[in-house]
Every structure is written in C-alpha cells, then in structure tokens.
C-alpha cells in the first residue's frame, strides 16, 4: 500500500472512530459495532523495519518511525498480547529527577512528551501530574538528597526539599513519628511527576501506529534472528520467516534472549520485580511517595486501590512471579510508615521481568551487526521513559546514528567506561 493510501486510510479511520455520528450509532446499538482500535494484522513477506516487542517502548518506536520519519512499512511483533509485558505490569510512576546530565536529558525529554501525549495520540492516557515525593530516612540520605536536588535543579528540572511537617501536610496518612525504625527526616518532591494509565499507553500508541499503516502482529514470537555476514536479513517466528532491512529489539526482560539469537551478549541481568494492589478504598493519598531505604512505594489508583511496590527479587529469572519474602518485607515497611495499610486487604500481587544493566541505565544502541538495534536495560524504571525512549530509538533506527540524547546510552559505554550510574535514582533497589 502506498504512503498516500495509508494517509487516506488513517484519515478515514479517524473519521469513522471519532465522529459524533459514530458515537451516537454505537450508543444506540448496544456498543456492538465499534471498529477495532487496530487491525489484527497478518505478517507480510518483508518490512523496512521489524520491531520485536509490543510493549510501550516498541509501539512508541513504531509510531515515531511512522509519524516523524515517514517510514511506514513496519511490523511490530509481539509474542503475547500488546502491553502484556512490563508495560501492563508496572506501577506507572513517571518522573525525570535523575542525577546525571545524560539521564536528566533523556527522562526530561520523555516527561515533556508525556505532557502533550494524550493530545498527540488522541487517546486519554489519564496522565496525572500528582507529584512524586521521595523520602529520606537517615542523615546520610538527607545529605545525598541535597546533592541530588541541586544536580536536578541545575538541569532545569523541578525539585524541592520538604521537611517532615510539610510531608505530613501533603500525605496525611504518613506517620512522621521520629521514633520509627526508619523515621521520615525529609524528602524531595517533583511536582511535575505523577502517573498514567499503563494499558492506555500501549493502546494509544498501537492505535496511532496502526493509523499510519504499521502492522501490529500479536501471538508472533521471534525464535531466531537471521543475518548474512554482518547484515541482518530477517526473523524466524512461529508465523514464519519475515524479511527485514532493520530490526529493533525492544523486548525488556527478554533482551538477553534476543541478543543470544543474534550471537551477541548484553551486559544485562533479568530479575523479577513485584508489586501489589489493595482492595479499593476511598481516596486517601493523592501523590506518589517512594522510600528507597525501605524498598517500598505507594500511590492510589483512580479505582481506589492502593498501589504498592517493592525492590527486585535477588535472583535471576524469566518467570513472571517473585518470592513472598519480598512482599512481606515491603508490607512491613508500608504498615510502619502508613498504619492504615494494616487494615486493608491485598487484592492482587504480580511480577514482571526487568532487565538491569550494571550502571542502572538503559541501552539505546546500534550493535556490531548492521541493521540490528537494541533498546533495553530500563530495569525497574522504564515506564516513565516510554515516549522519550520510542522517540530517540526511532531516530536512531531511521538515521542509523544516535542523536545527542541517545548517544551516551550506546553499548560502547561498557567498553569505554563512561557508565551512567543511576542506582540512587532508580527508586527501587536493583
Ligand atoms: P515490555 O512492556 O515488557 O515489552 C516487551 C515485549 O516484548 C513484551 O510484551 C514481550 O512479550 C515481548 N517479547 C519478548 N520476547 C519476545 C520475542 N521473542 N518475540 C516477540 N515478542 C517478544 N517503570 C517506571 O518508570 N515506573 C514504575 O512505576 C515502574 N514500576 C514497575 C513495577 C513493576 C512490578 C515492574 C515489573 C516494572 C516496573 N517499571 C516501572 C519498569 C517498566 O515497567 C519497564 O521498564 C517498561 O515497561 C519496559 O517497557 P517495554 O515496552 O520495554 O517492555
Ligand atoms: O522508576 O520511579 C521508578 C519506579 C517506581 C517504582 C518502580 N520504578
């Protein structure tokens, strides 16, 4: 299909989906005739770009390749259902308060995109800038916090220090008794930080990419990456061989597996990361509070569930589940800091597999194989980066050269030693 035809189809799809007549028709016919938000595409023989991984980052990459770079002969291959990986498993915290200049540039680029993303995708992502507060529980953390806040502000990113009384005013359910095992000594707040609806991010990008003619192919597992000499030629999948001039791997916890398919080894470990929600209760907290020292964080979803998360499990695994002691440890801390938590029931716990780099920073990089690119290593904190990651990765794939934001995150940093150590900003331990 030509680019013009795809453009015309995108316009027609929009008119069909969003017109008042369509709304009225669907309201009166029992909502039975909504058009699918994206086509259930079957693989074609060849594509200019194949993206492996239909999470937020992969879908965003496809969307920006199409919308910014005019490359529309693209397939996104997802072994399960889109957003069924970490995109649909995370606790949706968004912020850009990182220590080093390179990370500040990357995560702030993402946050700026978040600020206009619902409009850009014409999809309500429920992006809510309710603020993200990080607590300090010791003298050491207080000093570290001053350094961090100064660095963040020097990069033009909002960050402010709060004392315990100010924290209590912002978060009435918190216990600021100085006798606690981990007393609240202070904290720093990024007011522009917040949350978004994670599934909506996958759906919004999928629909927008589909409007540009991108084929989104679910239940399509990549089983091998083929190359001739040092150039990729395509991928083997459970739906057959698909030719590709360029391949972008955006498979989060399974990045190491994909790299091995191409004969590469990444400096990555894959570990379970767990979270849970309580039964829904009336609104009790309208910001996000993180506490790195005790490995727990809390927010409240729009449905009323308390959303609580822990640090990573200590062992490597590809099972999307973690161990009970991590949950118990996190809940002990939660009950101490927020006593009302002891009176709500746990509704659901789950885990995802996160891919962590030795410096707790991502990889956005070309490889030694022509046409093969990796976007991975986001560890416990890639949801917040979704739009920025897709935007710069699309740019890398389209131009075959990294832009200024992506360049520091190339694989070559593990040879040169120019690591970007963001363990302190990771929010949860890993
Ligand atoms: P994914 O959404 O995992 O997408 C990768 C996709 O690749 C998957 O759908 C997978 O099925 C597919 N895939 C893998 N192998 C293949 C193959 N061979 N063939 C085809 N498809 C394949 N980050 C934050 O910023 N804030 C948070 O609050 C936060 N909380 C988190 C809480 C938990 C419990 C977890 C697990 C993670 C959290 N994260 C958070 C991290 C964040 O979820 C991830 O960094 C981010 O979602 C990664 O997005 P992605 O699109 O790269 O990965
Ligand atoms: O990166 O902000 C973060 C985060 C919070 C919970 C998990 N990751």
């Amino acid at each position: 299909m030509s680019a013009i035809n795809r453009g015309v189809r995108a316009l027609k799809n929009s008119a069909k989906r969003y017109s008042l007549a369509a709304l009225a028709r669907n309201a009166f016919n029992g909502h039975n005739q909504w058009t699918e938000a994206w086509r259930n595409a079957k693989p074609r023989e060849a594509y200019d770009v194949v993206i492996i991984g239909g999470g937020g980052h992969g879908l965003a990459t496809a969307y920006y390749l199409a919308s910014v770079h005019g490359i529309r002969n693209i397939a996104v291959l997802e072994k399960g259902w889109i957003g069924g990986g970490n995109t649909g498993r995370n606790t949706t915290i968004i912020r850009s308060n990182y220590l080093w200049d390179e990370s500040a540039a990357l995560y702030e680029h993402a946050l700026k995109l978040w600020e206009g993303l619902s409009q850009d995708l014409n999809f309500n992502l429920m992006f809510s800038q309710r603020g993200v507060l990080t607590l300090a529980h010791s003298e050491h953390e207080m000093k570290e916090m001053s350094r961090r806040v100064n660095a963040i502000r020097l990069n033009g990113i909002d960050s402010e220090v709060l004392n315990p009384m100010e924290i209590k005013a912002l978060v009435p359910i918190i216990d600021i008794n100085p006798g606690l095992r981990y007393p609240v000594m202070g904290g720093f707040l990024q007011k522009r930080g917040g949350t978004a609806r994670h599934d909506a991010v996958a759906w919004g990008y999928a629909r927008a990419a589909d409007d540009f003619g991108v084929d989104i192919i679910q239940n399509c597992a990549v089983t091998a990456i083929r190359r001739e000499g040092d150039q990729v030629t395509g991928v083997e999948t459970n739906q057959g061989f698909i030719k590709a001039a360029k391949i972008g791997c955006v498979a989060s916890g399974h990045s190491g597996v994909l790299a091995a398919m191409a004969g590469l080894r990444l400096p990555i470990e894959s570990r379970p990361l767990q979270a849970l929600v309580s039964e829904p209760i009336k609104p009790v907290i309208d910001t996000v509070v993180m506490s790195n020292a005790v490995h727990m964080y809390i927010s409240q979803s729009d449905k009323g569930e308390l959303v609580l998360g822990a640090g990573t499990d200590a062992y490597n695994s590809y099972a999307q589940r973690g161990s009970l002691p991590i949950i118990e440890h996190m809940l002990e801390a939660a009950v101490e800091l927020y006593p009302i938590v002891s009176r709500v029931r746990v509704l659901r716990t789950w885990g995802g597999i996160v891919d962590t780099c030795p410096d707790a920073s991502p990889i956005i990089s070309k490889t030694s194989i022509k046409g093969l690119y990796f976007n991975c290593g986001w560890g416990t904190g890639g949801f917040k980066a979704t739009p920025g990651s897709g935007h710069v990765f699309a740019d890398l794939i389209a131009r075959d050269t990294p832009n200024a934001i992506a360049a520091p995150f190339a694989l070559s940093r593990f040879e040169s030693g120019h690591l970007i150590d963001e363990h302190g900003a990771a929010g949860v331990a890993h």
Side-chain angles (χ1 to χ4, degrees), residues 125-128 130 195-197 300-305 307:
L125 305 178
M126 298 170 74
F127 177 56
S128 157
R130 60 184 64 184
T195 56
R197 171 79 197 271
Q300 189 166 18
S301 76
D302 295 335
K303 282 187 282 184
E305 301 154 339
V307 182

Side-chain angles (χ1 to χ4, degrees), residues 52-58 77-94 98 220-223 250-254 257-258 261 273-275 297 350-355 375 378-386:
I52 307 174
H57 290 229
L77 310 183
E78 167 53 51
K79 72 175 177 183
W81 66 95
I82 68 157
N86 288 341
T87 297
R89 290 165 190 270
N90 70 75
T91 44
T92 79
I93 299 174
I94 295 170
Y98 279 65
C220 185
V222 170
T223 51
V250 204
S252 195
H254 286 79
V257 178
L258 283 182
M261 289 181 195
L273 179 67
Q274 301 188 76
Y297 55 91
W350 67 90
I353 300 303
V354 297
D355 49 343
N375 177 337
W378 294 93
T380 59
F383 177 70
K384 68 175 79 66
T386 306

Side-chain angles (χ1 to χ4, degrees), residues 357 359 361-363 408-420:
C357 281
D359 59 355
S361 283
I363 293 168
F409 297 93
L411 272 166
S412 56
R413 77 177 188 271
F414 298 102
E415 286 161 24
S416 68
H418 287 104
L419 301 183
I420 307 164

